[in-house]
Every structure is written in C-alpha cells, then in structure tokens.
Amino acid sequence: MKITVFGSGYVGLVTAACLADSGNSVVCVDVDARRIETLNAGHCPFYEPGVDALLTRNTAAGRIRFTTDAVEGVAHGQIIFIAVGTPPQEDGSADLQYVLQVASTVGQYISDYRVVCTKSTVPVGTAKKVRAAVQAAIDARGAKFPFDVVSNPEFLKEGAAVEDFLRPDRIIVGTDSERALEQMRRLYAPFNRNHDRLMAMDIESAELTKYAANAMLATRISFMNELALLAEKVGADIESVRRGIGSDPRIGFSFLYAGCGYGGSCFPKDVKALVRTGREHDQTLGILTAVEAANDYQKTILFERLKAHLGSLQGKTIALWGLAFKPNTDDMREAPSRVLMEAIWAEGGRVQAYDPIAMEATRRIYGDRDDLQYFESAEDACRDADALVLVTEWAQFRSPDFARIKTLLRQPILLDGRNLYDSAHLAELGFRYQGIGRKAR
C-alpha cells in the first residue's frame, strides 16, 4: 500500500519505518528541513532501539523516503497518517494547531479518495475537527473529493517501540466508514496474523481509549509511590507489598514499581489533557488530579532525602546515575532527573552525571554550565562526590562494583530512586542506603 506519514518525530518515524519494513511504499513529510536532511542521510534524530536498522534497510530498498513537500505526500498516500506533536498548553489542554494544519494541507491538495488517520494522541472530538478542516480546504477550492477520517492511536513504549508496533497487543481503529475500515485491515494484516488484534469502534471511543490507557498506567505508578511513602512510616517494605499484590491475577505486576516519579512525553501530558477534557465537559476527574499531584511530589523526594543526609548542599557534589526519564531512550521530557538537578543547583550544589544515551540531550537543554559535569562511565561520575543517586534504572547499573564505588565517594551515601539494589547487602558494605518505600539502612 502507499502510505504517507506527516511528522517525523517519535511516533511518526517509528510508524513510517515499521510500515515500510512490511513492504509498503512510505513517504514521510516534515516541515523541518534539517531533520529531513538528517533522515535522508540515513541517521535517526533520536535514540530508539531498532529504528536505525529499519531506516537503513528500507531506505536502501526504496520503500521509504523523506521530504518537506506536502503536495508529494498527499498525492502519494492512500492512507495519510497525522503524527505531529500535540504539546500541552498552559491550561493542560493539547495544542492541536499542527494536527489541524496538516488536515488543511490534505484538503488543499487532495485529488482522490483518501483515509486521513490521526496517529497523534489527541482529545476526544479531534477527528470531527480534522474532518471539518479537510472539508473546509476542499470547499475553498470549489471542489468535491471523498475522504474518511480514522482514529488509530499508538500504544508504543519508548525503548520498545519497534517491538510494540511489529507485535501489538491491540490495534485500535475508530471509524464510521466500512471503506476506511477495510483499508485499515489491509494495512495491518501483516501485524495481525496470529489472532485478530484489530478492534473496530466508534471514533470517540478510540480517541478516549488512548488517554484512558495512559491515565490508568500513571495511576498505578502514583498509587504505588504513595503506598511506598506509607510503607516507610509503618516499617513495611514496598517490594514485599508489590510482590504480594502483584501475584493477584486481577492486579498483575505491570507498573507496580515504586520510584521517584514518572516522566516522558506521554503520561504527564495525557493526564493533564484528560483532566482538562473533564473540566470542559463539567466532569471532575478527582483521581487523575490526585495522580498528577502525587507524581509532582514524588519527583521532589530524592532532593529532600539528599538534604536529610547532607544538610546544606552548598558546595556539595552529587553523582547522578541516569538522566533520561526511563531506560533505553534519550528522552528528557518531564524527567525526574531534571527536577532533582535544578533543585541541587538552586541550593548551590554540583552534579556529576552519567547516562548511557541521554547526556547529549541533557546538554541541549542546559548547555554548558560549571555545576554540571558529564562523565564517560558510571564509576567516574562517583569520584569525589558526596552522595550517589540512582535516577534511571539502566541495565548497566544493576550490578556495579560497590566496593570500588565506596572508595570513590567522599561519603558512602546511596539514594536509590528505583529500588534496584539489595539494602541489606549495601548495609554490610558500609553504605548509608535509602530506597523508595524500603527500610533505610
């Protein structure tokens, strides 16, 4: 099939690359000429395991190409995906200007039947706005062309996006058109062979499903984080509690890990947007308001514990392991590390940081500054630091040489923001260890 994807960001590029790899002819359109130049040179502009290999293979095979030419994009794709950004506005609502700009562009250049498919995460009612924008542009030309609008939300986890796309748990298609549904079934047939994962539903339900999924996962995280704080007060261990409740099949183990808060491009933005949607429809979403507040507080926990261990942070040096909001990505959006570093700097402290992937992304945010130094290894970041804080649970941090780490630190203080380590073992080695919801040693 001939596919066009507007937007070469995280969702758009993964979608384009995976669809090309299944044999489709894909054109990816973006207004950012420098990004298109980078992609045509064979380079992925962000880190996501597997994407580089897909781009190299499919560019060489001629199944994917990148352009700034919207006319070419609309002419090419029988299905046109809108996968542009929907950044949060000050009031928490999703900014739909880029989505609607693409919709208008499609209407300006459409010359035959097209399926216009929203892949971006958008609030309920967006498909109606997309339909109106396409139709308005067609009407302005004095023309008549048929088209359908489909909601096809993505459920990609950063760090595992390619696997999620190629082997989806579910494929949600919201449409009121049998013709469009048949096109979508054809497109997703290669990913749907084992059993039928495609769920057809009305457009509004599809749009709400995406927000509901992310809000549920964020709720589980904040729930466990609040329980972890209670566990500390009553002398319980949240890891034991996690295993106890996770073994109940009605609950399961996913997203039950206590830590220093969630971040990224999805959970924070989508929870805010869903709360805002509730307000617009005179429906208070009290649970999600609490989820957001609990997460904001959780991101301050590591800083408060540093102060409890060290007193004033003026002139102190803190080693940070992990900067990205989660492993296997360089995404720094809403990352807990940012809250921690900014608080340390405000108190006059310094940061010595190591992350396997996200140091360049961090440098783009903060630039070069005297109170932030990057190191080429986790051990080097610990040298002459007053405490070590684990923020992101990269695999390479799982089994460090603690005896060596202890000799590098000025004080054997280890704050574990992801409960990665055995508190009893670290106590035996002479560390002052503190996790989240664990008994302090």
Side-chain angles (χ1 to χ4, degrees):
M1 300 179 74
K2 291 184 177 180
I3 307 299
T4 293
V5 179
F6 276 85
S8 63
Y10 179 81
V11 173
L13 193 54
V14 171
T15 298
C18 289
L19 290 176
D21 204 52
S22 65
N24 299 291
S25 172
V26 180
V27 169
C28 194
V29 183
D30 201 295
V31 296
D32 188 336
R34 289 185 63 184
R35 176 167 283 225
I36 292 299
E37 189 177 309
T38 297
L39 288 164
N40 279 323
H43 304 298
C44 181
F46 53 83
Y47 177 80
E48 178 63 35
V51 173
D52 272 323
L54 289 179
L55 291 178
T56 299
R57 180 163 65 243
N58 290 286
T59 300
R63 288 190 294 265
I64 190 169
R65 63 185 188 275
F66 304 94
T67 182
T68 58
D69 187 349
V71 178
E72 177 187 357
V74 176
H76 176 81
Q78 59 198 103
I79 299 176
I80 299 174
F81 284 97
I82 301 178
V84 294
T86 55
Q89 302 188 94
E90 286 188 12
D91 63 0
S93 61
D95 185 349
L96 297 178
Q97 63 171 312
Y98 306 115
V99 171
L100 298 179
Q101 283 173 12
V102 173
S104 295
T105 298
V106 172
Q108 289 171 29
Y109 301 120
I110 190 174
S111 60
D112 198 358
Y113 174 75
R114 293 290 184 267
V115 175
V116 182
C117 184
T118 54
K119 200 71 172 169
S120 304
T121 300
V122 294
V124 178
T126 298
K128 291 179 180 178
K129 295 178 181 179
V130 168
R131 191 191 307 275
V134 175
Q135 190 62 58
I138 294 173
D139 292 345
R141 296 163 57 190
K144 290 186 178 180
F145 297 107
F147 69 95
D148 284 310
V149 175
V150 169
S151 174
N152 177 219
E154 54 83 18
F155 298 94
L156 307 177
K157 298 187 295 291
E158 291 195 47
V162 171
E163 179 69 15
D164 286 345
F165 196 102
L166 298 179
R167 295 172 179 82
D169 297 316
R170 73 286 208 199
I171 302 165
I172 303 294
V173 176
T175 180
D176 53 11
S177 163
E178 284 298 322
R179 184 179 183 183
L181 180 58
E182 188 275 332
Q183 293 265 34
M184 298 300 289
R185 287 194 185 278
R186 280 185 56 206
L187 177 64
Y188 282 114
F191 312 102
N192 206 26
R193 294 178 60 119
N194 187 24
H195 63 274
D196 189 4
R197 298 177 176 87
L198 193 145
M199 301 180 189
M201 59 185 68
D202 61 90
I203 292 175
E204 290 80 8
S205 295
E207 290 174 328
L208 184 56
T209 295
K210 168 61 178 181
Y211 276 117
N214 280 352
M216 173 61 78
L217 297 176
T219 299
R220 287 171 68 99
I221 293 170
S222 281
F223 174 75
M224 288 303 291
N225 282 338
E226 287 209 323
L227 274 189
L229 300 182
L230 177 61
E232 293 177 354
K233 297 287 181 67
V234 301
D237 188 319
I238 197 64
E239 279 297 291
S240 297
V241 175
R242 178 185 66 82
R243 292 193 297 272
I245 65 174
S247 59
D248 185 331
R250 297 171 300 174
I251 298 172
F253 287 100
S254 296
F255 287 83
L256 288 187
Y257 290 92
C260 53
Y262 61 75
S265 63
C266 295
F267 289 4
K269 175 173 69 72
D270 293 353
V271 169
K272 284 183 172 69
L274 195 50
V275 169
R276 175 67 183 182
T277 298
R279 289 198 197 105
E280 290 172 353
H281 292 82
D282 197 27
Q283 179 62 54
T284 300
L285 300 180
I287 290 175
L288 293 186
T289 302
V291 165
E292 185 179 10
N295 190 59
D296 289 342
Y297 175 73
Q298 200 71 15
K299 288 182 179 181
T300 69
I301 290 292
L302 291 176
F303 174 70
E304 294 302 327
R305 293 181 177 183
L306 273 176
K307 289 177 64 177
H309 281 279
L310 295 173
S312 171
L313 297 186
Q314 178 71 41
K316 297 292 196 307
T317 299
I318 309 302
L320 252 62
W321 282 3
L323 295 166
F325 87 94
K326 64 180 284 188
N328 298 318
T329 181
D330 62 352
D331 196 340
M332 289 293 295
R333 287 173 287 186
E334 302 280 350
S337 65
R338 296 178 65 171
V339 175
L340 176 57
M341 288 191 295
E342 290 167 14
I344 291 170
W345 296 331
E347 288 276 317
R350 297 178 62 257
V351 173
Q352 297 183 171
Y354 171 74
D355 187 286
I357 297 295
M359 291 192 289
E360 186 54 41
T362 307
R363 187 178 279 111
R364 288 195 296 270
I365 296 169
Y366 294 113
D368 293 322
R369 47 188 300 160
D370 293 338
D371 50 10
L372 174 58
Q373 189 174 0
Y374 302 98
F375 289 82
E376 292 303 312
S377 76
E379 285 193 2
D380 287 345
C382 294
R383 194 177 301 278
D384 294 325
D386 293 287
L388 167 61
V389 184
L390 175 86
V391 184
T392 313
E393 67 276 30
W394 286 91
Q396 65 179 260
F397 298 151
R398 292 184 181 276
S399 299
D401 183 347
F402 285 117
R404 168 72 174 156
I405 299 300
K406 187 180 177 185
T407 66
L408 296 173
L409 293 169
R410 288 177 184 164
Q411 303 183 57
I413 298 170
L414 199 167
L415 302 186
D416 183 355
R418 299 298 176 184
N419 288 342
L420 211 56
Y421 303 128
D422 183 326
S423 58
H425 175 62
L426 285 166
E428 290 174 2
L429 293 175
F431 279 88
R432 281 186 279 160
Y433 170 87
Q434 191 170 10
I436 307 291
R438 315 292 302 276
K439 293 181 180 180
R441 300 280 181 169

